[in-house]
Amino acid sequence: MNLDTYKKKSPWILHYNCGSCNGCDIEILAALAPKYDLERFGILNNGNPKQADIFLVTGALTYRSRARLIELYKQIPEPKVVVALGSCTCTGGVFRDMYNVENGIDSFIPVDVYIPGCAASPELIIDGIIKAIDILEAKTNEKEKVKKDFT
Ligand code: SF4
């Protein structure tokens, strides 16, 4: 059994705040804490992009954080899933069209799951993460299939 198989069972998350008011970030902590217990799916919030499977991004993307967002995305190994958490990350939200804000991260990196809300509730976050796990599994299976076809 290779490492990719384990990824499906315990996806590790890299959380990056690219300009959030912290509202959505607090909801992530609530989702991980015992009341909602997102960790029951084997999820671990890890600060290392090279060990991450799911890139969880919050906040309106500021000009200053744009390069860092792209760099972190590149450092996460394939297969990976990107989740835009909260209205700001999806579209710019209440900060849309401000002088120092890019509108939505999907202009710079591909997004697999959009979680709406200001702030996004723990229920919506759990729903989005479950979708992300399904997408991660599909991408992992595809990668394994390609590997088999060439071996
Ligand atoms: S969506 Fe709302 S709560 Fe979340 S970072 Fe933006 S302003 Fe804050």
Side-chain angles (χ1 to χ4, degrees), residues 17 19-25 27 58-60 85-90 92-95 115-120:
N17 173 344
S20 160
C21 75
N22 279 342
C24 286
D25 310 275
E27 297 301 333
T58 56
L85 198 163
S87 304
C88 288
T89 326
C90 297
V94 290
F95 302 107
I115 303 177
C118 178

Side-chain angles (χ1 to χ4, degrees), residues 61-123:
L61 180 62
T62 62
Y63 289 145
R64 278 175 176 252
S65 58
R66 183 179 57 194
R68 204 160 292 137
L69 175 87
I70 295 167
E71 188 52 41
L72 286 171
Y73 174 78
K74 283 187 194 162
Q75 286 186 19
I76 300 172
E78 296 286 353
K80 60 191 163 195
V81 177
V82 177
V83 179
L85 198 163
S87 304
C88 288
T89 326
C90 297
T91 65
V94 290
F95 302 107
R96 189 174 174 84
D97 292 333
M98 275 182 65
Y99 71 94
N100 58 344
V101 164
E102 308 278 12
N103 296 329
I105 60 167
D106 58 2
S107 302
F108 300 96
I109 60 172
V111 172
D112 300 284
V113 180
Y114 295 85
I115 303 177
C118 178
S121 66
E123 290 88 350

Side-chain angles (χ1 to χ4, degrees), residues 28-45:
I28 292 173
L29 294 178
L32 286 166
K35 183 175 177 187
Y36 293 98
D37 200 13
L38 193 50
E39 289 185 345
R40 83 190 103 136
F41 299 108
I43 285 161
L44 185 74
N45 193 7

